[in-house]
Short mmCIF file of all heavy atoms in Angstrom, two decimals:
data_model
loop_
_atom_site.label_atom_id
_atom_site.label_comp_id
_atom_site.label_asym_id
_atom_site.label_seq_id
_atom_site.Cartn_x
_atom_site.Cartn_y
_atom_site.Cartn_z
N ASP A 1 0.82 -1.20 0.00
CA ASP A 1 0.00 0.00 0.00
C ASP A 1 0.86 1.26 0.00
O ASP A 1 0.62 2.20 -0.76
CB ASP A 1 -0.92 -0.01 1.22
CG ASP A 1 -1.85 1.20 1.25
OD1 ASP A 1 -2.30 1.64 0.18
OD2 ASP A 1 -2.13 1.71 2.35
N ARG A 2 1.90 1.29 0.82
CA ARG A 2 2.76 2.48 0.90
C ARG A 2 3.56 2.69 -0.38
O ARG A 2 3.73 3.82 -0.84
CB ARG A 2 3.69 2.37 2.11
CG ARG A 2 2.94 2.36 3.43
CD ARG A 2 3.87 2.57 4.60
NE ARG A 2 3.17 2.39 5.87
CZ ARG A 2 3.71 2.66 7.05
NH1 ARG A 2 4.97 3.10 7.12
NH2 ARG A 2 3.03 2.48 8.16
N VAL A 3 4.04 1.59 -0.97
CA VAL A 3 4.77 1.70 -2.24
C VAL A 3 3.84 2.21 -3.33
O VAL A 3 4.20 3.09 -4.12
CB VAL A 3 5.39 0.35 -2.63
CG1 VAL A 3 5.93 0.39 -4.05
CG2 VAL A 3 6.49 -0.04 -1.65
N ARG A 4 2.62 1.67 -3.38
CA ARG A 4 1.67 2.04 -4.42
C ARG A 4 1.25 3.51 -4.33
O ARG A 4 0.79 4.09 -5.31
CB ARG A 4 0.43 1.15 -4.35
CG ARG A 4 0.64 -0.23 -4.95
CD ARG A 4 0.73 -0.14 -6.48
NE ARG A 4 1.11 -1.43 -7.05
CZ ARG A 4 2.34 -1.77 -7.36
NH1 ARG A 4 3.34 -0.92 -7.13
NH2 ARG A 4 2.61 -2.94 -7.90
N GLN A 5 1.39 4.12 -3.18
CA GLN A 5 1.08 5.54 -3.05
C GLN A 5 2.11 6.41 -3.76
O GLN A 5 1.86 7.59 -4.02
CB GLN A 5 1.00 5.93 -1.57
CG GLN A 5 -0.17 5.31 -0.83
CD GLN A 5 -0.17 5.65 0.65
OE1 GLN A 5 0.41 6.66 1.06
NE2 GLN A 5 -0.81 4.82 1.46
N VAL A 6 3.27 5.81 -4.07
CA VAL A 6 4.37 6.58 -4.68
C VAL A 6 4.62 6.15 -6.12
O VAL A 6 4.76 6.99 -7.01
CB VAL A 6 5.66 6.42 -3.85
CG1 VAL A 6 6.81 7.18 -4.49
CG2 VAL A 6 5.42 6.87 -2.42
N GLU A 7 4.69 4.83 -6.38
CA GLU A 7 5.01 4.36 -7.73
C GLU A 7 4.48 2.95 -7.94
O GLU A 7 3.98 2.31 -7.01
CB GLU A 7 6.52 4.42 -7.98
CG GLU A 7 7.34 3.55 -7.05
CD GLU A 7 8.83 3.72 -7.28
OE1 GLU A 7 9.27 4.85 -7.55
OE2 GLU A 7 9.55 2.71 -7.18
N GLU A 8 4.63 2.46 -9.18
CA GLU A 8 4.04 1.18 -9.58
C GLU A 8 5.09 0.08 -9.69
O GLU A 8 5.07 -0.73 -10.61
CB GLU A 8 3.30 1.34 -10.91
CG GLU A 8 2.19 2.37 -10.90
CD GLU A 8 1.06 1.99 -9.95
OE1 GLU A 8 0.89 0.79 -9.69
OE2 GLU A 8 0.36 2.89 -9.47
N THR A 9 6.03 0.04 -8.75
CA THR A 9 7.02 -1.03 -8.75
C THR A 9 6.34 -2.39 -8.74
O THR A 9 5.45 -2.63 -7.91
CB THR A 9 7.92 -0.93 -7.49
OG1 THR A 9 8.49 0.37 -7.41
CG2 THR A 9 9.02 -1.99 -7.53
N PRO A 10 6.69 -3.31 -9.65
CA PRO A 10 6.08 -4.64 -9.63
C PRO A 10 6.27 -5.34 -8.29
O PRO A 10 7.35 -5.27 -7.69
CB PRO A 10 6.80 -5.38 -10.75
CG PRO A 10 7.25 -4.30 -11.69
CD PRO A 10 7.60 -3.14 -10.80
N ILE A 11 5.21 -6.00 -7.82
CA ILE A 11 5.24 -6.66 -6.51
C ILE A 11 4.69 -8.08 -6.64
O ILE A 11 3.64 -8.30 -7.24
CB ILE A 11 4.39 -5.88 -5.49
CG1 ILE A 11 5.04 -4.51 -5.20
CG2 ILE A 11 4.22 -6.67 -4.19
CD1 ILE A 11 4.18 -3.60 -4.34
N ILE A 12 5.43 -9.04 -6.09
CA ILE A 12 4.97 -10.41 -5.96
C ILE A 12 4.77 -10.70 -4.48
O ILE A 12 5.66 -10.45 -3.67
CB ILE A 12 5.97 -11.42 -6.56
CG1 ILE A 12 6.10 -11.20 -8.08
CG2 ILE A 12 5.53 -12.86 -6.28
CD1 ILE A 12 7.14 -12.10 -8.74
N MET A 13 3.62 -11.23 -4.11
CA MET A 13 3.32 -11.58 -2.73
C MET A 13 3.61 -13.06 -2.48
O MET A 13 3.29 -13.91 -3.32
CB MET A 13 1.85 -11.32 -2.41
CG MET A 13 1.49 -9.85 -2.26
SD MET A 13 2.07 -9.19 -0.71
CE MET A 13 1.14 -7.64 -0.69
N LEU A 14 4.19 -13.36 -1.33
CA LEU A 14 4.36 -14.73 -0.86
C LEU A 14 3.29 -14.98 0.19
O LEU A 14 3.20 -14.25 1.18
CB LEU A 14 5.75 -14.93 -0.25
CG LEU A 14 6.95 -14.57 -1.13
CD1 LEU A 14 8.25 -14.80 -0.35
CD2 LEU A 14 6.95 -15.38 -2.41
N THR A 15 2.46 -15.99 -0.02
CA THR A 15 1.36 -16.25 0.90
C THR A 15 1.36 -17.71 1.33
O THR A 15 1.79 -18.59 0.58
CB THR A 15 -0.01 -15.94 0.26
OG1 THR A 15 -0.32 -16.94 -0.72
CG2 THR A 15 -0.01 -14.58 -0.41
N ALA A 16 0.86 -17.95 2.56
CA ALA A 16 0.71 -19.32 3.05
C ALA A 16 -0.64 -19.86 2.64
O ALA A 16 -1.59 -19.10 2.41
CB ALA A 16 0.85 -19.34 4.58
N ARG A 17 -0.75 -21.15 2.53
CA ARG A 17 -2.03 -21.76 2.20
C ARG A 17 -3.04 -21.41 3.29
O ARG A 17 -2.71 -21.35 4.46
CB ARG A 17 -1.90 -23.28 2.09
CG ARG A 17 -1.04 -23.71 0.92
CD ARG A 17 -1.12 -25.21 0.69
NE ARG A 17 -0.20 -25.64 -0.36
CZ ARG A 17 -0.47 -25.54 -1.66
NH1 ARG A 17 -1.60 -25.01 -2.06
NH2 ARG A 17 0.41 -25.96 -2.55
N GLY A 18 -4.29 -21.16 2.89
CA GLY A 18 -5.32 -20.80 3.85
C GLY A 18 -5.45 -19.31 4.06
O GLY A 18 -6.29 -18.87 4.83
N GLU A 19 -4.61 -18.50 3.37
CA GLU A 19 -4.66 -17.05 3.52
C GLU A 19 -5.32 -16.40 2.30
O GLU A 19 -4.96 -15.32 1.88
CB GLU A 19 -3.25 -16.47 3.71
CG GLU A 19 -2.59 -16.91 5.00
CD GLU A 19 -1.16 -16.40 5.13
OE1 GLU A 19 -0.58 -16.01 4.09
OE2 GLU A 19 -0.64 -16.39 6.24
N GLU A 20 -6.30 -17.09 1.71
CA GLU A 20 -6.90 -16.61 0.47
C GLU A 20 -7.48 -15.21 0.62
O GLU A 20 -7.28 -14.35 -0.25
CB GLU A 20 -8.00 -17.56 0.00
CG GLU A 20 -8.66 -17.10 -1.30
CD GLU A 20 -9.74 -18.05 -1.78
OE1 GLU A 20 -10.00 -19.05 -1.08
OE2 GLU A 20 -10.31 -17.80 -2.84
N ALA A 21 -8.20 -14.96 1.72
CA ALA A 21 -8.82 -13.63 1.90
C ALA A 21 -7.75 -12.55 1.93
O ALA A 21 -7.88 -11.51 1.28
CB ALA A 21 -9.65 -13.61 3.18
N ASP A 22 -6.66 -12.78 2.70
CA ASP A 22 -5.58 -11.80 2.76
C ASP A 22 -4.90 -11.64 1.41
O ASP A 22 -4.49 -10.55 1.03
CB ASP A 22 -4.55 -12.21 3.81
CG ASP A 22 -5.09 -12.07 5.23
OD1 ASP A 22 -5.99 -11.22 5.42
OD2 ASP A 22 -4.63 -12.79 6.11
N ARG A 23 -4.76 -12.76 0.68
CA ARG A 23 -4.14 -12.70 -0.64
C ARG A 23 -4.94 -11.80 -1.57
O ARG A 23 -4.38 -10.98 -2.32
CB ARG A 23 -4.04 -14.10 -1.22
CG ARG A 23 -3.33 -14.16 -2.57
CD ARG A 23 -3.21 -15.59 -3.04
NE ARG A 23 -4.49 -16.15 -3.42
CZ ARG A 23 -4.89 -17.38 -3.10
NH1 ARG A 23 -4.13 -18.16 -2.36
NH2 ARG A 23 -6.06 -17.83 -3.50
N LEU A 24 -6.26 -11.93 -1.52
CA LEU A 24 -7.12 -11.09 -2.37
C LEU A 24 -7.01 -9.63 -1.98
O LEU A 24 -7.06 -8.75 -2.84
CB LEU A 24 -8.57 -11.57 -2.28
CG LEU A 24 -8.84 -12.97 -2.86
CD1 LEU A 24 -10.31 -13.32 -2.71
CD2 LEU A 24 -8.42 -13.03 -4.32
N VAL A 25 -6.86 -9.36 -0.68
CA VAL A 25 -6.64 -7.98 -0.25
C VAL A 25 -5.35 -7.46 -0.85
O VAL A 25 -5.28 -6.32 -1.33
CB VAL A 25 -6.61 -7.88 1.29
CG1 VAL A 25 -6.17 -6.48 1.72
CG2 VAL A 25 -7.97 -8.19 1.88
N GLY A 26 -4.29 -8.29 -0.84
CA GLY A 26 -3.02 -7.88 -1.42
C GLY A 26 -3.15 -7.56 -2.90
O GLY A 26 -2.61 -6.56 -3.38
N LEU A 27 -3.86 -8.40 -3.63
CA LEU A 27 -4.08 -8.14 -5.06
C LEU A 27 -4.87 -6.86 -5.26
O LEU A 27 -4.61 -6.07 -6.16
CB LEU A 27 -4.80 -9.32 -5.70
CG LEU A 27 -3.99 -10.62 -5.83
CD1 LEU A 27 -4.89 -11.76 -6.28
CD2 LEU A 27 -2.83 -10.44 -6.79
N THR A 28 -5.86 -6.65 -4.40
CA THR A 28 -6.67 -5.43 -4.50
C THR A 28 -5.83 -4.20 -4.25
O THR A 28 -6.05 -3.14 -4.86
CB THR A 28 -7.84 -5.49 -3.50
OG1 THR A 28 -8.64 -6.64 -3.78
CG2 THR A 28 -8.71 -4.24 -3.60
N MET A 29 -4.84 -4.30 -3.36
CA MET A 29 -3.97 -3.17 -3.06
C MET A 29 -2.98 -2.90 -4.19
O MET A 29 -2.32 -1.87 -4.20
CB MET A 29 -3.20 -3.40 -1.76
CG MET A 29 -4.09 -3.51 -0.53
SD MET A 29 -5.16 -2.06 -0.31
CE MET A 29 -3.95 -0.79 -0.10
N GLY A 30 -2.85 -3.86 -5.13
CA GLY A 30 -1.99 -3.59 -6.29
C GLY A 30 -0.86 -4.56 -6.52
O GLY A 30 -0.02 -4.31 -7.38
N ALA A 31 -0.80 -5.67 -5.78
CA ALA A 31 0.24 -6.67 -6.07
C ALA A 31 0.01 -7.24 -7.47
O ALA A 31 -1.13 -7.43 -7.90
CB ALA A 31 0.20 -7.78 -5.03
N ASP A 32 1.10 -7.51 -8.18
CA ASP A 32 1.01 -8.00 -9.55
C ASP A 32 0.84 -9.51 -9.62
O ASP A 32 0.28 -10.04 -10.58
CB ASP A 32 2.27 -7.61 -10.34
CG ASP A 32 2.39 -6.11 -10.49
OD1 ASP A 32 1.83 -5.58 -11.46
OD2 ASP A 32 3.03 -5.47 -9.65
N ASP A 33 1.33 -10.22 -8.61
CA ASP A 33 1.33 -11.67 -8.67
C ASP A 33 1.45 -12.19 -7.25
O ASP A 33 1.76 -11.44 -6.31
CB ASP A 33 2.52 -12.15 -9.52
CG ASP A 33 2.35 -13.56 -10.07
OD1 ASP A 33 1.38 -14.23 -9.66
OD2 ASP A 33 3.18 -13.98 -10.88
N TYR A 34 1.23 -13.49 -7.07
CA TYR A 34 1.44 -14.11 -5.77
C TYR A 34 1.90 -15.54 -5.97
O TYR A 34 1.65 -16.18 -7.00
CB TYR A 34 0.16 -14.07 -4.92
CG TYR A 34 -0.94 -14.98 -5.41
CD1 TYR A 34 -0.99 -16.32 -5.05
CD2 TYR A 34 -1.93 -14.50 -6.27
CE1 TYR A 34 -1.99 -17.16 -5.51
CE2 TYR A 34 -2.93 -15.33 -6.74
CZ TYR A 34 -2.95 -16.66 -6.35
OH TYR A 34 -3.94 -17.48 -6.82
N ILE A 35 2.61 -16.05 -4.98
CA ILE A 35 3.05 -17.44 -4.96
C ILE A 35 2.69 -18.01 -3.60
O ILE A 35 2.93 -17.38 -2.57
CB ILE A 35 4.57 -17.56 -5.20
CG1 ILE A 35 4.94 -17.06 -6.60
CG2 ILE A 35 5.02 -19.01 -5.03
CD1 ILE A 35 6.41 -17.16 -6.90
N THR A 36 2.12 -19.21 -3.60
CA THR A 36 1.69 -19.84 -2.36
C THR A 36 2.81 -20.71 -1.80
O THR A 36 3.39 -21.53 -2.51
CB THR A 36 0.44 -20.70 -2.60
OG1 THR A 36 -0.60 -19.87 -3.12
CG2 THR A 36 -0.05 -21.32 -1.30
N LYS A 37 3.12 -20.53 -0.52
CA LYS A 37 4.11 -21.37 0.15
C LYS A 37 3.52 -22.75 0.44
O LYS A 37 2.33 -22.84 0.75
CB LYS A 37 4.54 -20.73 1.47
CG LYS A 37 5.22 -19.37 1.34
CD LYS A 37 5.56 -18.86 2.73
CE LYS A 37 6.22 -17.49 2.69
NZ LYS A 37 6.53 -17.00 4.05
N PRO A 38 4.35 -23.78 0.43
CA PRO A 38 5.76 -23.79 0.00
C PRO A 38 5.85 -23.69 -1.52
O PRO A 38 4.98 -24.18 -2.23
CB PRO A 38 6.26 -25.15 0.50
CG PRO A 38 5.04 -26.01 0.50
CD PRO A 38 3.89 -25.11 0.86
N PHE A 39 6.90 -23.06 -2.01
CA PHE A 39 7.03 -22.88 -3.46
C PHE A 39 8.43 -23.27 -3.90
O PHE A 39 9.37 -23.33 -3.11
CB PHE A 39 6.75 -21.42 -3.84
CG PHE A 39 7.70 -20.43 -3.21
CD1 PHE A 39 8.89 -20.08 -3.83
CD2 PHE A 39 7.39 -19.85 -1.99
CE1 PHE A 39 9.77 -19.18 -3.24
CE2 PHE A 39 8.26 -18.94 -1.40
CZ PHE A 39 9.45 -18.61 -2.03
N SER A 40 8.55 -23.52 -5.18
CA SER A 40 9.85 -23.82 -5.77
C SER A 40 10.57 -22.51 -6.10
O SER A 40 9.98 -21.62 -6.73
CB SER A 40 9.67 -24.65 -7.05
OG SER A 40 10.84 -24.61 -7.84
N PRO A 41 11.83 -22.37 -5.70
CA PRO A 41 12.58 -21.16 -6.09
C PRO A 41 12.63 -20.98 -7.60
O PRO A 41 12.66 -19.85 -8.10
CB PRO A 41 13.98 -21.42 -5.52
CG PRO A 41 13.76 -22.38 -4.40
CD PRO A 41 12.62 -23.25 -4.85
N ARG A 42 12.64 -22.10 -8.34
CA ARG A 42 12.65 -22.00 -9.81
C ARG A 42 11.36 -21.35 -10.30
O ARG A 42 11.36 -20.63 -11.30
CB ARG A 42 12.84 -23.38 -10.42
CG ARG A 42 14.21 -23.99 -10.18
CD ARG A 42 14.37 -25.30 -10.92
NE ARG A 42 15.68 -25.90 -10.71
CZ ARG A 42 15.98 -26.70 -9.71
NH1 ARG A 42 15.03 -27.00 -8.82
NH2 ARG A 42 17.18 -27.20 -9.57
N GLU A 43 10.23 -21.66 -9.63
CA GLU A 43 8.97 -21.03 -10.01
C GLU A 43 9.03 -19.53 -9.76
O GLU A 43 8.57 -18.74 -10.59
CB GLU A 43 7.80 -21.63 -9.24
CG GLU A 43 6.46 -20.99 -9.59
CD GLU A 43 5.31 -21.50 -8.74
OE1 GLU A 43 5.53 -22.35 -7.86
OE2 GLU A 43 4.18 -21.01 -8.97
N LEU A 44 9.62 -19.13 -8.64
CA LEU A 44 9.76 -17.70 -8.35
C LEU A 44 10.58 -17.02 -9.43
O LEU A 44 10.22 -15.93 -9.90
CB LEU A 44 10.42 -17.50 -6.99
CG LEU A 44 10.70 -16.04 -6.59
CD1 LEU A 44 9.41 -15.23 -6.51
CD2 LEU A 44 11.45 -15.98 -5.26
N VAL A 45 11.67 -17.66 -9.85
CA VAL A 45 12.50 -17.09 -10.92
C VAL A 45 11.69 -16.92 -12.20
O VAL A 45 11.77 -15.88 -12.87
CB VAL A 45 13.75 -17.98 -11.17
CG1 VAL A 45 14.46 -17.55 -12.45
CG2 VAL A 45 14.70 -17.90 -9.99
N LEU A 46 10.88 -17.91 -12.54
CA LEU A 46 10.06 -17.82 -13.75
C LEU A 46 9.05 -16.69 -13.63
O LEU A 46 8.81 -15.95 -14.61
CB LEU A 46 9.33 -19.15 -13.99
CG LEU A 46 10.18 -20.31 -14.50
CD1 LEU A 46 9.34 -21.58 -14.56
CD2 LEU A 46 10.76 -20.00 -15.87
N ARG A 47 8.44 -16.53 -12.46
CA ARG A 47 7.47 -15.44 -12.28
C ARG A 47 8.15 -14.08 -12.44
O ARG A 47 7.62 -13.17 -13.06
CB ARG A 47 6.82 -15.53 -10.90
CG ARG A 47 6.04 -16.82 -10.64
CD ARG A 47 4.72 -16.82 -11.40
NE ARG A 47 3.97 -18.04 -11.10
CZ ARG A 47 3.06 -18.16 -10.15
NH1 ARG A 47 2.78 -17.12 -9.37
NH2 ARG A 47 2.43 -19.30 -9.95
N ILE A 48 9.35 -13.96 -11.86
CA ILE A 48 10.09 -12.69 -11.98
C ILE A 48 10.45 -12.42 -13.44
O ILE A 48 10.26 -11.31 -13.94
CB ILE A 48 11.36 -12.74 -11.11
CG1 ILE A 48 10.98 -12.78 -9.63
CG2 ILE A 48 12.25 -11.53 -11.40
CD1 ILE A 48 12.16 -13.04 -8.71
#
């Protein structure tokens, strides 16, 4: 939220399973993508 008040830096959220409601709040605030833990580091690299 604080970053989005200044600029549109791309943001990826890391979320735990079961945090769907919070994840949707993050997307609503302007996150570009999310990855659910546990995740593969290779997947993170591909998303980036």
Side-chain angles (χ1 to χ4, degrees):
D1 182 36
R2 296 193 187 188
V3 170
R4 282 288 172 265
Q5 293 176 24
V6 179
E7 61 184 37
E8 301 296 335
T9 305
I11 293 173
I12 296 176
M13 286 285 194
L14 305 179
T15 72
R17 294 190 185 279
E19 295 176 342
E20 180 179 2
D22 289 333
R23 183 177 70 223
L24 294 180
V25 171
L27 291 171
T28 301
M29 296 304 298
D32 295 273
D33 201 352
Y34 70 85
I35 296 180
T36 302
K37 298 179 181 179
F39 61 89
S40 162
R42 292 185 180 87
E43 179 185 0
L44 177 61
V45 169
L46 286 175
R47 299 286 181 93
I48 293 171

